[in-house]
Amino acid sequence: MNNSNLLNPFFFPEHKDIPELYRIAAIEQKSYLVNGVMKTWQGAMQEVFSPIYIHHDGKLEPKRLGSYPLLNRTASLEVLKSAQEAYHSGKGKWPTMSVKSRIACIMQFVKLMKEQRTHVVHLLMWEIGKSLKDSEKEFDRTVEYIIDTVAALKDLDRDSSRLKKEQGIYAQIRRGPLGVVLCMGPYNYPLNETFCTLIPALIMGNTVILKPAKIGILLLSPLLEAFQKSFPPGVINVIYGHGRDTVGTIMETGKVDVFAFIGSSKTANILKKLHPKPNRLRSVLGLEAKNPAIVLPDADISLAVEECILGSLSFNGQRCTAIKIIFVQEQIKEQFIQLYLERLEKLKFGMPWEQDVMLTPLPEHDKPAYLSELINDAMQHGAQVLNKNGGLTQNSFVYPAVLYPVNDKMRIYNEEQFGPIVPILSFKNINEPIDYMVSSNFGQQVSIFGTNAENMAHLIDPLVNQVCRVNINSQCQRGPDVYPFNGRKDSAEGTLSVSDALRVFSIRTMVAGKENEGNKKLLTEILEGRKSNFLSTDFIL
Ligand code: G3H
């Protein structure tokens, strides 16, 4: 679609316009996974609608995708009991199982998961409006993440598969599980980011209660059977429903050992505060960010524009790593803005299955109104929308708005828009963007654009202490997943990467004994007789 079609009511498709391959049947998800059983829910259900509207008889109607259960407090507590019993205070089958056997369960799951690729990818498009290409990327990246996690665990296990001797004491040091993990992912990566905590939590021997993201719920349905077939009962449980009835109820019991959450700090804080034993609870959090781009006068402008377009508008700016504010040096601001607008004009918008589409409908129902508030507020404080049709809204679709000049009176200056608004401001002195970052509540990443080694080096040194990743002439991003993904200040708690996540969901624990004849004999008997899964020198190949 080109820009002039924006006001065309046929922006959204008629049923006949949807390619047959991508049509989808409603999923009535009437059951939830508890203690290895798909239990039928008899209570209230929540209907799910797509952000994609269908043009029908002169009206636009959101496509109904199905429904899922709204579990109550009793059902949620039953799920908690299942996870607790499977963990059995660390005595359960799963936490005491050998690493090799746990890996076998995970690999069985990957095999079954791969069979559901098409179904999950189509649901990603329909539920969150992600383009086909990015939905496929999300699925494949998740599979790759699981396989890399298995490889990382084998490495970790090999390093621990020997006894040490220090000051006359033998010891074997391994990593052990922590207990029951409550795992919640975000709607923008409902598969990938959920699995980036779920899989390491499971593989380290914890038992898990998984609550899907607020949007992107049905896409887990095709995987429930795979969970059921791959893990012992109670090791993974999947719940649905309102937060206060489900995760709120579970946290209040104080029986959750690890809270793994990617989403808003508001929800994270509410849930953490409900836990009555804060010292017992470990949290792994990925929260808001407001990553700036800083464009220096000697930057390669076309490269900077290309990376800023990707950084600010991939998946409509709905990435925690998105570039959410752009600082351009005064001398080059006109050139940068002009090129940015030209490039934006060429971005294809439309339905997720359309080839090369980048801008698609937004899944959060209240997002268009929120974005419009931010745009109006910025305009009241002196900004202009620089691009034609900027901010134009049709139901769930919002065309990107480029705002300039942005200043500190505007909400967009500090608030994380998590959507297609691109705030730009110019600076004379490099201390202006640096001071912005110092006083920001967030500290995830920054992108800096320039070619002068001296200037760039002077910028890198203070910025590495403001954020956790300084991207040089490149957009901000999480990947590759083997690199650490974290943040300072309000942006995160804990570090996630393939190998860091294994550490986050486990604790170093050891078996130790003084060197004497009795212990030597005992240790030899246990090791040679392969009597323990923990105290073992077996080497996983
Ligand atoms: O939403 C936050 C994601 O972790 C971003 O990941 O940079 O690979 O898109 P990404």
Side-chain angles (χ1 to χ4, degrees):
M1 243 176 249
N2 71 42
N3 215 339
S4 57
N5 288 119
L6 259 178
L7 292 170
N8 185 337
F10 289 98
F11 167 73
F12 285 105
E14 286 186 58
H15 180 71
K16 67 169 176 46
D17 302 327
I18 304 167
E20 211 149 318
L21 188 59
Y22 305 122
R23 291 186 190 164
I24 198 159
I27 295 178
E28 309 305 336
Q29 172 67 53
K30 290 201 177 113
S31 48
Y32 58 105
L33 180 61
V34 55
N35 203 19
V37 175
M38 289 299 296
K39 193 164 176 181
T40 304
W41 174 243
Q42 309 287 358
M45 299 286 287
Q46 174 68 53
E47 291 196 294
V48 180
F49 292 94
S50 173
I52 300 169
Y53 283 71
I54 307 294
H55 207 270
H56 181 65
D57 274 351
K59 276 194 299 189
L60 281 178
E61 285 165 7
K63 163 96 177 139
R64 185 179 179 281
L65 297 177
S67 58
Y68 62 83
L70 287 172
L71 298 191
N72 58 16
R73 293 171 73 91
T74 313
S76 301
L77 291 173
E78 177 205 17
V79 169
L80 172 65
K81 188 162 168 264
S82 154
Q84 273 187 286
E85 283 177 2
Y87 192 68
H88 194 31
S89 305
K91 298 176 287 173
K93 181 176 170 186
W94 185 248
T96 57
M97 194 182 263
S98 70
V99 168
K100 196 173 166 188
S101 307
R102 269 192 235 131
I103 288 176
C105 295
I106 296 276
M107 291 314 289
Q108 158 75 1
F109 174 72
V110 180
K111 184 172 157 277
L112 298 174
M113 176 180 173
K114 282 187 186 162
E115 292 169 10
Q116 300 300 328
R117 182 179 188 266
T118 307
H119 202 177
V120 174
V121 164
H122 290 183
L123 281 161
L124 272 165
M125 286 197 292
W126 280 101
E127 272 193 285
I128 62 162
K130 191 169 268 193
S131 71
L132 174 62
K133 198 166 125 224
D134 283 350
S135 297
E136 288 175 336
K137 206 153 79 182
E138 177 162 352
F139 188 94
D140 297 339
R141 177 181 178 179
T142 307
V143 168
E144 203 177 309
Y145 185 92
I146 301 175
I147 289 165
D148 288 351
T149 299
V150 166
L153 180 57
K154 283 184 180 174
D155 270 348
L156 194 66
D157 195 76
R158 284 181 203 123
D159 290 346
S160 334
S161 67
R162 52 188 279 269
L163 262 59
K164 293 178 186 291
K165 199 179 92 180
E166 281 294 336
Q167 297 178 25
I169 296 184
Y170 286 114
Q172 183 162 29
I173 308 163
R174 287 184 183 277
R175 299 201 74 94
L178 293 161
V180 173
V181 178
L182 174 61
C183 184
M184 297 168 69
Y187 80 83
N188 64 332
Y189 278 93
L191 181 75
N192 183 262
E193 294 232 313
T194 308
F195 277 47
C196 284
T197 56
L198 169 74
I199 297 298
L202 283 174
I203 209 168
M204 293 313 286
N206 304 284
T207 60
V208 175
I209 301 166
L210 168 63
K211 165 106 178 358
K214 63 176 180 180
I215 315 169
I217 294 167
L218 296 173
L219 61 89
L220 288 181
S221 302
L223 302 178
L224 293 180
E225 201 183 319
F227 283 138
Q228 193 186 16
K229 285 187 176 157
S230 309
F231 298 100
V235 168
I236 163 117
N237 307 274
V238 183
I239 56 167
Y240 306 89
H242 296 306
R244 60 179 181 276
D245 298 327
T246 56
V247 283
T249 302
I250 289 172
M251 284 294 259
E252 270 168 9
T253 63
K255 307 286 188 214
V256 171
D257 300 287
V258 188
F259 176 44
F261 176 86
I262 318 279
S264 78
S265 51
K266 191 172 157 221
T267 310
N269 292 342
I270 293 173
L271 287 169
K272 268 178 84 168
K273 279 192 195 127
L274 290 175
H275 198 289
K277 295 180 181 165
N279 297 334
R280 168 176 176 165
L281 183 70
R282 286 169 184 239
S283 298
V284 187
L285 309 177
L287 307 170
E288 291 93 336
K290 184 90 180 170
N291 295 341
I294 304 175
V295 189
L296 300 179
D298 51 61
D300 173 340
I301 306 231
S302 35
L303 181 140
V305 165
E306 200 52 41
E307 292 294 316
C308 285
I309 282 276
L310 280 177
S312 53
L313 290 174
S314 300
F315 191 36
N316 314 295
Q318 299 167 117
R319 292 161 60 229
C320 59
T321 47
I323 289 176
K324 297 194 178 104
I325 188 160
I326 304 179
F327 289 83
V328 190
Q329 214 277 344
E330 179 79 8
Q331 277 165 260
I332 49 154
K333 68 172 190 234
E334 269 143 37
Q335 207 187 341
F336 178 90
I337 290 173
Q338 191 192 332
L339 271 179
Y340 188 95
L341 295 179
E342 282 169 18
R343 188 66 187 82
L344 167 58
E345 182 88 8
K346 293 197 184 101
L347 294 184
K348 187 167 170 185
F349 58 91
M351 296 304 114
W353 49 81
E354 289 175 32
Q355 198 169 357
D356 298 327
V357 74
M358 177 139 158
L359 306 167
T360 52
L362 308 176
E364 280 179 298
H365 189 68
D366 47 3
K367 188 50 85 64
Y370 170 69
L371 295 176
S372 147
E373 263 178 38
L374 290 182
I375 294 170
N376 290 337
D377 169 77
M379 288 173 77
Q380 271 166 27
H381 290 95
Q384 284 181 352
V385 176
L386 294 186
N387 57 319
K388 188 173 144 214
N389 289 325
L392 195 82
T393 300
Q394 278 186 4
N395 300 68
S396 55
F397 181 78
V398 179
Y399 190 71
V402 178
L403 292 174
Y404 179 85
V406 162
N407 63 48
D408 61 2
K409 309 275 178 305
M410 302 170 187
R411 286 172 61 190
I412 192 69
Y413 186 78
N414 288 312
E415 277 181 43
E416 184 195 37
Q417 64 271 40
F418 215 79
I421 299 183
V422 186
I424 302 182
L425 59 161
S426 56
F427 66 91
K428 286 197 179 106
N429 185 321
I430 191 60
N431 286 331
E432 294 168 42
I434 296 178
D435 289 348
Y436 172 85
M437 293 175 68
V438 170
S439 55
S440 170
N441 286 329
F442 309 114
Q444 194 198 59
Q445 300 190 16
V446 63
S447 289
I448 55 174
F449 295 92
T451 50
N452 179 298
E454 196 144 335
N455 293 344
M456 291 290 269
H458 270 107
L459 204 44
I460 290 169
D461 291 350
L463 292 187
V464 285
N465 296 336
Q466 304 307 321
V467 291
C468 289
R469 177 165 166 165
V470 175
N471 299 280
I472 297 175
N473 295 314
S474 323
Q475 66 152 325
C476 300
Q477 62 182 56
R478 173 179 178 149
D481 290 328
V482 290
Y483 288 161
F485 178 55
N486 53 1
R488 295 170 186 268
K489 301 190 233 178
D490 293 346
S491 284
E493 200 173 317
T495 298
L496 291 172
S497 73
V498 167
S499 54
D500 284 307
L502 296 175
R503 291 179 170 78
V504 165
F505 290 102
S506 61
I507 188 163
R508 287 196 347 143
T509 177
M510 62 193 257
V511 176
K514 286 187 179 165
E515 180 191 16
N516 57 41
E517 283 317 305
N519 271 349
K520 274 190 196 169
K521 187 167 166 288
L522 185 69
L523 289 173
T524 308
E525 213 176 307
I526 294 174
L527 291 172
E528 288 183 357
R530 293 199 160 94
K531 293 182 191 298
S532 162
N533 283 330
F534 185 99
L535 189 61
S536 158
T537 49
D538 282 357
F539 195 85
I540 306 177
L541 295 173

